Amino acid sequence: DGGITQSPKYLFRKEGQNVTLSCEQNLNHDAMYWYRQDPGQGLRLIYYSQIVNDFQKGDIAEGYSVSREKKESFPLTVTSAQKNPTAFYLCASTEGLAGGTDTQYFGPGTRLTVL
Amino acid sequence: AQKVTQAQTEISVVEKEDVTLDCVYETRDTTYYLFWYKQPPSGELVFLIRRNSFDEQNEISGRYSWNFQKSTSSFNFTITASQVVDSAVYFCALSEDPNTGGFKTIFGAGTRLFVKA
């Protein structure tokens, strides 16, 4: 079955540590996205990538970094510079390069907790 | 500015009741797209519907129906004869034409629906 996988499902981090969240898709989609979800809030865009080796900042990119070395993979690193990283992180993809007008397909998410 | 407002934070209904989730949006574009997604307790957002700004026809899919009214900038979602499995957070989202302003999708804050047996 095609879809998006994210790992791990739960992640605990000590303050000052960098952590990397994995996102893999086998839908052959061109574009991939990372969102952050906080309780009672909608999704906020962190980064997105339309093609391999290219990505753009979203609304809340500070303290995060990404890479897109392969079409199917778009890992997100939460760095120690992110002041409040505890949140639920969702990865998504869309088929074409049209960006946000395409339907987004989401992974199951990673819940990150900073201890 | 682009904005999506879901004024209902939480709604609680008893099974078999009908329930309407409100979504009001703001955009300067004439070409835009509206979405509804469902987020069950598992966390993964599930796509429900996509509608472009030139198609104001209402849509019905089983127990789900959507009422799109450009005159009031609203895209409301109704569940008929609700079931416990409908319990989830529902998000309304707006995407503007990337040719006019670049990629931008804005999500509302979501409405949490509780359906009690």
Side-chain angles (χ1 to χ4, degrees):
Chain A
D1 287 338
I4 299 178
T5 57
Q6 291 186 242
S7 62
K9 188 172 179 64
Y10 298 97
L11 186 57
F12 298 91
R13 187 193 93 172
K14 293 182 180 179
E15 284 195 23
Q17 284 183 336
N18 292 353
V19 290
T20 297
L21 283 58
S22 169
C23 176
E24 304 276 334
Q25 54 101 356
N26 61 4
L27 300 166
N28 199 32
H29 283 178
D30 289 307
M32 298 185 73
Y33 313 84
W34 274 106
Y35 289 94
R36 170 180 172 141
Q37 184 180 13
D38 294 286
Q41 297 189 34
L43 280 64
R44 291 183 290 168
L45 183 66
I46 304 172
Y47 269 98
Y48 67 100
S49 168
Q50 303 250 39
I51 55 174
V52 173
N53 292 324
D54 186 53
F55 45 82
Q56 284 78 40
K57 293 182 179 179
D59 298 320
I60 55 167
E62 185 175 352
Y64 300 97
S65 65
V66 293
S67 62
R68 187 88 186 275
E69 297 177 1
K70 299 184 295 183
K71 184 176 183 179
E72 58 270 23
S73 179
F74 191 40
L76 172 74
T77 296
V78 184
T79 74
S80 56
Q82 169 50 236
K83 297 306 177 188
N84 185 22
T86 295
F88 188 54
Y89 292 87
L90 285 158
C91 179
S93 69
T94 53
E95 183 175 0
L97 298 178
T101 59
D102 279 355
T103 297
Q104 295 188 49
Y105 295 86
F106 286 84
T110 292
R111 190 167 298 280
L112 173 63
T113 302
V114 174
L115 303 174
Chain B
Q2 197 185 18
K3 188 177 180 181
V4 175
T5 302
Q6 294 181 256
Q8 303 149 308
T9 305
E10 290 186 359
I11 301 176
S12 184
V13 299
V14 177
E15 210 170 18
K16 298 183 183 177
E17 281 186 26
D18 297 347
V19 58
T20 295
L21 310 182
D22 297 333
C23 174
V24 175
Y25 62 92
E26 293 177 29
T27 178
R28 295 178 188 169
D29 273 10
T30 55
T31 301
Y32 53 90
Y33 295 78
L34 295 163
F35 301 81
W36 275 95
Y37 290 89
K38 173 183 179 180
Q39 185 179 39
S42 60
E44 181 175 343
L45 267 74
V46 176
F47 165 76
L48 296 177
I49 190 171
R50 173 178 181 260
R51 170 74 72 223
N52 73 56
S53 53
F54 298 107
D55 183 2
E56 282 195 77
Q57 281 192 340
N58 291 333
E59 173 129 354
I60 298 175
S61 176
R63 296 185 297 107
Y64 295 170
S65 62
W66 290 269
N67 182 3
F68 176 28
Q69 291 194 341
K70 288 177 74 172
S71 60
T72 56
S73 296
S74 64
F75 187 43
N76 296 338
F77 172 33
T78 297
I79 302 174
T80 303
S82 60
Q83 300 176 0
V84 172
V85 292
D86 295 327
S87 297
V89 180
Y90 291 87
F91 290 97
C92 181
L94 165 70
S95 290
E96 294 180 335
D97 185 350
N99 294 320
T100 59
F103 157 61
K104 190 76 170 179
T105 297
I106 294 293
F107 286 81
T111 297
R112 183 177 296 276
L113 174 64
F114 295 97
V115 181
K116 297 179 284 189

